[in-house]
Amino acid sequence: MTMLDCSSCCSWVSRLRCPRPHGFVAHVITKVCLGALLFGVVWSIAEKECYPGGNLFGIIILFLCAVSGGKLVGLIQLPTLPPFPPLLGMLLAGLVLRNVPYVTEAVHIDQAWSAALRNVALAIILTRAGLGLDPLALRRLKGVCVRLAVAVMSHFLMGLPWVWGFVLGFVLSAVSPAVVVPSMLLLQKDGYGVEKGIPTLLMAAGSFDDILAITAFTTSLGVAFASDSTWLNVLKGVLEVVGGSAAGLLLGLFICFFPSPDQEELVLRRSAMLLGLSVFAVFGSHVAGFSGAGGLCTLVMAFIAALSWGAEKAPVAAVVGRFWDIFQPLLFGLVGAEITVSTLDPNTVGLGMACLGTGLVVRVLFTFLMVFFGGFNTKEKLFISVAWLPKATVQAAIGSKALDMARVSGDEVLVKYGLDVLTVAVLAILTTAPIGALGIGLAGPRLLTRHTEDTHADRKEGDLEADTETQQKDMVTESKL
């Protein structure tokens, strides 16, 4: 074929070319095709497992429904308010799939598969928390009081043993970065509270709050499932903390040197090494009989690696964030699918909400007192207290862990305790996530002072440099979350 023939052919094809779709329609078509392609690829490999009732069929349908539910809830936006957290739609998608007749049988996921996927999601979220921990923003005592309050209330109201009361208390105590961070970024963008660094403070301190809650939760959980005497159980909990910290320190130091900075595709190799060791630590600790040590090992390892990498941790955190984008819908969908509405005990729901409400009231009061001498006025103190209300990500990550361990033990009493913990955790997500997001969006403009560009121009050069430094930290925090 001559060059002339080729040009004629290309011209003929270009005349027949249809207008390319774009915008929302093209976006929807692409998403639908990718979903169908995902199902088709898995079906071509696994066949029977992709039929209704198979595990892969259930996982794929749950994932697609959770993603769709998150997108739909994310579209709900009121004027001047932040959008509703997409995780609510993911959780509700799992609840619906679990409780609709006939759909439940078709979308079935084996408990072992569900537990494994949730543990992978837990390893990822612990890695992100360790990478984002700011050692200069640690406030060690801010949440202790509310955790004790929930523990005491759950013991006397719900009849849980003391150790299980502490398990529930630490599950409910952690604040949710998935709700707080987007809301803080919106307020920061509009200049609310930036004069005193309130958005930055809340975002940075949230990471440590979650780490403290997860560490104490894993220790309490180890004591709850230990079969020895009380003192030996406490000793085992201490050994899990010490052993997990030591293992995390050693693995973190190893990652500091390997892979070495002179290697190609350094970010990819660091990410693979960090995530691989994190998942291995979480699952390996179960095999070794020290389930509480794995989470702490992951946190310490990621924290040590982040300190060594410095500013170079941002690309690694971005890769870890991509994995979280995949496992977040699975985590919340699977947690929602654990709840069967018809089998819920109204007494458990009512008393659980009473415990949650009491804990939230105590937390608001205690947080207000903790920032009393921090240089904030009364309105700013009240806003900081309200901003610590939302619960979501951590509750989904660790709320079902006690139930998984109880099922492995085969003890029906422990299974009931684990189900009570998960039920209250789900109730906490459904109530505090939207209320917290709305509370932050409404209270921010009313309680915080807005820092305008005109005020910024009148400040001294030293203050400008401090602001630049703060903004750089904010960008790192935003990229992490």
PDB file of all heavy atoms in Angstrom, residues 377-389:
ATOM      1  N   ASN A 377      -9.985  30.954  72.982  1.00  0.00           N
ATOM      2  CA  ASN A 377     -11.129  31.558  73.650  1.00  0.00           C
ATOM      3  C   ASN A 377     -12.240  30.522  73.826  1.00  0.00           C
ATOM      4  O   ASN A 377     -12.111  29.367  73.392  1.00  0.00           O
ATOM      5  CB  ASN A 377     -11.632  32.783  72.869  1.00  0.00           C
ATOM      6  CG  ASN A 377     -12.035  32.442  71.438  1.00  0.00           C
ATOM      7  OD1 ASN A 377     -12.647  31.405  71.182  1.00  0.00           O
ATOM      8  ND2 ASN A 377     -11.675  33.314  70.505  1.00  0.00           N
ATOM      9  N   THR A 378     -13.336  30.934  74.435  1.00  0.00           N
ATOM     10  CA  THR A 378     -14.403  29.986  74.783  1.00  0.00           C
ATOM     11  C   THR A 378     -15.017  29.348  73.538  1.00  0.00           C
ATOM     12  O   THR A 378     -15.283  28.139  73.512  1.00  0.00           O
ATOM     13  CB  THR A 378     -15.493  30.701  75.601  1.00  0.00           C
ATOM     14  OG1 THR A 378     -14.903  31.288  76.768  1.00  0.00           O
ATOM     15  CG2 THR A 378     -16.574  29.719  76.026  1.00  0.00           C
ATOM     16  N   LYS A 379     -15.243  30.134  72.495  1.00  0.00           N
ATOM     17  CA  LYS A 379     -15.833  29.593  71.273  1.00  0.00           C
ATOM     18  C   LYS A 379     -14.912  28.566  70.614  1.00  0.00           C
ATOM     19  O   LYS A 379     -15.376  27.531  70.125  1.00  0.00           O
ATOM     20  CB  LYS A 379     -16.145  30.725  70.295  1.00  0.00           C
ATOM     21  CG  LYS A 379     -17.295  31.629  70.735  1.00  0.00           C
ATOM     22  CD  LYS A 379     -17.595  32.666  69.665  1.00  0.00           C
ATOM     23  CE  LYS A 379     -18.788  33.527  70.053  1.00  0.00           C
ATOM     24  NZ  LYS A 379     -19.098  34.538  69.005  1.00  0.00           N
ATOM     25  N   GLU A 380     -13.624  28.858  70.598  1.00  0.00           N
ATOM     26  CA  GLU A 380     -12.665  27.928  69.997  1.00  0.00           C
ATOM     27  C   GLU A 380     -12.574  26.640  70.800  1.00  0.00           C
ATOM     28  O   GLU A 380     -12.466  25.544  70.230  1.00  0.00           O
ATOM     29  CB  GLU A 380     -11.302  28.598  69.890  1.00  0.00           C
ATOM     30  CG  GLU A 380     -11.261  29.737  68.872  1.00  0.00           C
ATOM     31  CD  GLU A 380     -10.017  30.591  68.983  1.00  0.00           C
ATOM     32  OE1 GLU A 380      -9.346  30.524  70.040  1.00  0.00           O
ATOM     33  OE2 GLU A 380      -9.717  31.338  68.039  1.00  0.00           O
ATOM     34  N   LYS A 381     -12.624  26.738  72.120  1.00  0.00           N
ATOM     35  CA  LYS A 381     -12.626  25.535  72.956  1.00  0.00           C
ATOM     36  C   LYS A 381     -13.848  24.685  72.677  1.00  0.00           C
ATOM     37  O   LYS A 381     -13.773  23.448  72.592  1.00  0.00           O
ATOM     38  CB  LYS A 381     -12.587  25.915  74.434  1.00  0.00           C
ATOM     39  CG  LYS A 381     -11.332  26.656  74.865  1.00  0.00           C
ATOM     40  CD  LYS A 381     -11.505  27.170  76.286  1.00  0.00           C
ATOM     41  CE  LYS A 381     -10.363  28.112  76.662  1.00  0.00           C
ATOM     42  NZ  LYS A 381     -10.590  28.758  77.966  1.00  0.00           N
ATOM     43  N   LEU A 382     -14.998  25.327  72.530  1.00  0.00           N
ATOM     44  CA  LEU A 382     -16.225  24.593  72.250  1.00  0.00           C
ATOM     45  C   LEU A 382     -16.151  23.905  70.890  1.00  0.00           C
ATOM     46  O   LEU A 382     -16.577  22.751  70.735  1.00  0.00           O
ATOM     47  CB  LEU A 382     -17.418  25.550  72.290  1.00  0.00           C
ATOM     48  CG  LEU A 382     -18.797  24.923  72.065  1.00  0.00           C
ATOM     49  CD1 LEU A 382     -19.080  23.853  73.107  1.00  0.00           C
ATOM     50  CD2 LEU A 382     -19.882  26.003  72.096  1.00  0.00           C
ATOM     51  N   PHE A 383     -15.576  24.588  69.894  1.00  0.00           N
ATOM     52  CA  PHE A 383     -15.454  23.976  68.568  1.00  0.00           C
ATOM     53  C   PHE A 383     -14.533  22.760  68.607  1.00  0.00           C
ATOM     54  O   PHE A 383     -14.834  21.724  68.003  1.00  0.00           O
ATOM     55  CB  PHE A 383     -14.911  24.993  67.562  1.00  0.00           C
ATOM     56  CG  PHE A 383     -14.592  24.390  66.223  1.00  0.00           C
ATOM     57  CD1 PHE A 383     -15.598  24.109  65.313  1.00  0.00           C
ATOM     58  CD2 PHE A 383     -13.284  24.062  65.879  1.00  0.00           C
ATOM     59  CE1 PHE A 383     -15.311  23.540  64.088  1.00  0.00           C
ATOM     60  CE2 PHE A 383     -12.985  23.486  64.662  1.00  0.00           C
ATOM     61  CZ  PHE A 383     -14.009  23.219  63.762  1.00  0.00           C
ATOM     62  N   ILE A 384     -13.396  22.864  69.293  1.00  0.00           N
ATOM     63  CA  ILE A 384     -12.469  21.733  69.389  1.00  0.00           C
ATOM     64  C   ILE A 384     -13.157  20.541  70.043  1.00  0.00           C
ATOM     65  O   ILE A 384     -12.965  19.388  69.630  1.00  0.00           O
ATOM     66  CB  ILE A 384     -11.206  22.154  70.172  1.00  0.00           C
ATOM     67  CG1 ILE A 384     -10.413  23.189  69.372  1.00  0.00           C
ATOM     68  CG2 ILE A 384     -10.330  20.943  70.479  1.00  0.00           C
ATOM     69  CD1 ILE A 384      -9.237  23.779  70.123  1.00  0.00           C
ATOM     70  N   SER A 385     -13.995  20.802  71.029  1.00  0.00           N
ATOM     71  CA  SER A 385     -14.718  19.714  71.694  1.00  0.00           C
ATOM     72  C   SER A 385     -15.702  19.044  70.739  1.00  0.00           C
ATOM     73  O   SER A 385     -15.807  17.821  70.702  1.00  0.00           O
ATOM     74  CB  SER A 385     -15.463  20.259  72.914  1.00  0.00           C
ATOM     75  OG  SER A 385     -14.571  20.867  73.831  1.00  0.00           O
ATOM     76  N   VAL A 386     -16.407  19.843  69.944  1.00  0.00           N
ATOM     77  CA  VAL A 386     -17.373  19.285  68.990  1.00  0.00           C
ATOM     78  C   VAL A 386     -16.662  18.502  67.893  1.00  0.00           C
ATOM     79  O   VAL A 386     -17.156  17.469  67.425  1.00  0.00           O
ATOM     80  CB  VAL A 386     -18.219  20.425  68.386  1.00  0.00           C
ATOM     81  CG1 VAL A 386     -19.097  19.908  67.237  1.00  0.00           C
ATOM     82  CG2 VAL A 386     -19.090  21.066  69.458  1.00  0.00           C
ATOM     83  N   ALA A 387     -15.481  18.962  67.482  1.00  0.00           N
ATOM     84  CA  ALA A 387     -14.761  18.323  66.376  1.00  0.00           C
ATOM     85  C   ALA A 387     -14.274  16.928  66.720  1.00  0.00           C
ATOM     86  O   ALA A 387     -13.931  16.154  65.811  1.00  0.00           O
ATOM     87  CB  ALA A 387     -13.576  19.189  65.953  1.00  0.00           C
ATOM     88  N   TRP A 388     -14.258  16.572  68.006  1.00  0.00           N
ATOM     89  CA  TRP A 388     -13.778  15.250  68.406  1.00  0.00           C
ATOM     90  C   TRP A 388     -14.908  14.245  68.574  1.00  0.00           C
ATOM     91  O   TRP A 388     -14.721  13.172  69.150  1.00  0.00           O
ATOM     92  CB  TRP A 388     -12.976  15.361  69.707  1.00  0.00           C
ATOM     93  CG  TRP A 388     -11.614  15.897  69.470  1.00  0.00           C
ATOM     94  CD1 TRP A 388     -11.216  17.189  69.531  1.00  0.00           C
ATOM     95  CD2 TRP A 388     -10.455  15.154  69.105  1.00  0.00           C
ATOM     96  NE1 TRP A 388      -9.885  17.306  69.217  1.00  0.00           N
ATOM     97  CE2 TRP A 388      -9.384  16.063  68.960  1.00  0.00           C
ATOM     98  CE3 TRP A 388     -10.214  13.797  68.885  1.00  0.00           C
ATOM     99  CZ2 TRP A 388      -8.106  15.663  68.600  1.00  0.00           C
ATOM    100  CZ3 TRP A 388      -8.933  13.399  68.540  1.00  0.00           C
ATOM    101  CH2 TRP A 388      -7.907  14.336  68.397  1.00  0.00           C
ATOM    102  N   LEU A 389     -16.092  14.556  68.054  1.00  0.00           N
ATOM    103  CA  LEU A 389     -17.230  13.651  68.198  1.00  0.00           C
ATOM    104  C   LEU A 389     -17.268  12.514  67.177  1.00  0.00           C
ATOM    105  O   LEU A 389     -17.647  11.390  67.515  1.00  0.00           O
ATOM    106  CB  LEU A 389     -18.544  14.451  68.099  1.00  0.00           C
ATOM    107  CG  LEU A 389     -18.872  15.394  69.263  1.00  0.00           C
ATOM    108  CD1 LEU A 389     -20.194  16.112  68.983  1.00  0.00           C
ATOM    109  CD2 LEU A 389     -18.958  14.636  70.573  1.00  0.00           C
TER     110      LEU A 389
END
